[in-house]
Amino acid sequence: MAEPIAERPDAERFDCRQLAGWAEPETPLEWFERSLWANHCLEFQARAVRIGIDGVRTLALSRDIQDGVEREVARFLDGPPVLFERSGHMNRMSGSGTDSEAPVSPTGIAQHVDRYYRLTMGHDERIANRSAVRLDIEPLDGMRFGQRLWLDSETSLPLKRELIDDRGRVVETFQFTELQSPRLHEGGVILDRYREPPRPSWFPAWLPDGFVDQPLDDESEQQGGERRVIHRIYSDGLSTLSLFVEPIEEGRERLIPGLHRLGISLAVVRHVVADNRPHQVIVMGELPPRVLVQVAESLAWREVPE
């Protein structure tokens, strides 16, 4: 069980009050980095709409910070009653050791993203009755999706996001319709501790350039009875793919191999044999289908000592 974040007395923190004294961003990269800081340090309540392949949903959102731990709640206002709640902290890019020039997440992520995407400024617009700066983020290859972001001119908080697939189509729009007095947190937020990724028995032998293994709260291969479920996440700082591997057991439901759509995400399912046992592999993310297929087909197994 991972140690509760708020109870670590030696946890490193970032004081959000520093943002008030920073100069206004000028370049696209500076705007993008500032939006990442805003995502961690601003508290607010909002209404939003999500438009995707599966339809239109409206949401009520709230975000606060307690004892350095970020807490977000999203409640759907139409359709089936669904509530999502997430508590977390400021993550670091995997591999950012203490000697890194950019060890803190927003700075490190922005520099990493700049290697694989082209960031440009668009025309200023008005979103949720607030002045917004548009940021266009275009991949430098065909291995990932692009985005358009509209950032609040005052706080840099993202007010609208469009996800753009490899054919240039908008596959999802997420937009605030009302933002109630966002305020800068008067204190610190906890930074994730430095952690090296584990050495799981299943791993992708191929990943698109820039995708790195992300630390998880539970780094072990999860066990339930005799089942061993592996879950890994890989990210380039903007796009993410998830890997799940578990043994196939008699009498348990299994997915049909092939390509599946889960909302705006795609999932590739394979059934493979390793260590004389059949396994189900799922690779999913908001990425071009050929990328997910190639990752799934490259999956390799190695025997890891107990």
Side-chain angles (χ1 to χ4, degrees):
M1 180 71 67
E3 183 182 0
I5 300 168
E7 295 180 7
R8 297 205 316 267
D10 59 341
E12 185 181 353
R13 296 173 183 249
F14 173 79
D15 189 345
C16 290
R17 290 170 290 191
Q18 296 181 52
L19 298 184
W22 290 2
E24 180 177 310
E26 296 182 354
T27 67
L29 185 60
E30 289 175 353
W31 274 105
F32 177 69
E33 180 183 337
R34 191 67 61 84
S35 74
L36 299 179
W37 288 109
N39 273 329
H40 287 291
C41 283
L42 287 177
E43 299 175 296
F44 60 84
Q45 293 185 335
R47 294 292 177 96
V49 60
R50 185 183 71 85
I51 306 171
I53 297 174
D54 53 347
V56 179
R57 301 293 300 274
T58 54
L59 306 91
L61 307 172
S62 66
R63 190 176 191 285
D64 58 31
I65 301 170
Q66 299 179 4
D67 298 325
V69 178
E70 304 167 45
R71 179 175 175 269
E72 299 175 353
V73 178
R75 179 167 54 89
F76 285 96
L77 301 178
D78 47 25
V82 179
L83 184 143
F84 294 100
E85 182 173 340
R86 186 190 73 86
S87 295
H89 43 73
M90 192 178 294
N91 296 323
R92 307 176 190 262
M93 286 292 290
S94 179
S96 292
T98 54
D99 295 331
S100 170
E101 294 180 0
V104 181
S105 174
T107 302
I109 288 177
Q111 293 180 0
H112 192 78
V113 165
D114 193 42
R115 297 175 56 188
Y116 302 99
Y117 297 85
R118 179 182 297 107
L119 284 72
T120 57
M121 303 296 296
H123 298 292
D124 293 356
E125 299 184 30
R126 195 159 187 83
I127 305 292
N129 201 33
R130 298 178 70 92
S131 175
V133 173
R134 197 182 93 183
L135 187 61
D136 296 339
I137 306 176
E138 179 185 1
L140 297 177
D141 56 29
M143 299 293 180
R144 56 207 96 212
F145 287 175
Q147 294 188 17
R148 279 193 289 264
L149 297 176
W150 284 260
L151 310 179
D152 183 27
S153 299
E154 179 182 347
T155 65
S156 301
L157 186 71
L159 301 176
K160 179 179 178 180
R161 169 185 176 265
E162 288 182 346
L163 182 66
I164 304 168
D165 70 10
D166 51 338
R167 298 183 182 181
R169 302 173 300 184
V170 176
V171 294
E172 184 191 55
T173 299
F174 184 88
Q175 176 177 335
F176 284 3
T177 57
E178 180 182 352
L179 178 62
Q180 300 179 9
S181 303
R183 58 196 179 278
L184 194 63
H185 176 59
E186 294 292 324
V189 293
I190 293 177
L191 278 68
D192 192 10
R193 65 188 185 278
Y194 292 107
R195 291 179 289 176
E196 289 297 326
R199 190 173 183 270
S201 54
W202 287 93
F203 65 98
W206 178 87
L207 287 169
D209 288 344
F211 279 78
V212 292
D213 198 347
Q214 301 296 293
L216 299 175
D217 288 338
D218 183 2
E219 296 288 9
S220 62
E221 295 187 5
Q222 303 168 18
Q223 298 188 32
E226 295 183 355
R227 303 175 69 204
R228 296 174 64 87
V229 180
I230 295 176
H231 176 210
R232 301 306 310 160
I233 295 177
Y234 304 88
S235 175
D236 65 1
L238 194 66
S239 300
T240 301
L241 67 86
S242 297
L243 166 67
F244 300 89
V245 184
E246 63 178 324
I248 297 176
E249 300 179 358
E250 276 304 319
R252 289 189 180 271
E253 185 176 355
R254 65 185 73 178
L255 297 176
I256 299 173
L259 183 66
H260 302 260
R261 179 171 292 281
L262 304 173
I264 63 170
S265 295
L266 295 172
V268 173
V269 178
R270 291 185 65 210
H271 294 165
V272 297
V273 176
D275 196 26
N276 298 317
R277 296 187 65 184
H279 290 75
Q280 178 170 269
V281 172
I282 303 174
V283 177
M284 64 180 297
E286 298 167 9
L287 293 165
R290 65 182 183 281
V291 172
L292 299 175
V293 169
Q294 190 167 347
V295 172
E297 291 180 346
S298 79
L299 205 65
W301 179 83
R302 61 191 167 202
E303 187 171 353
V304 177
E306 295 291 341

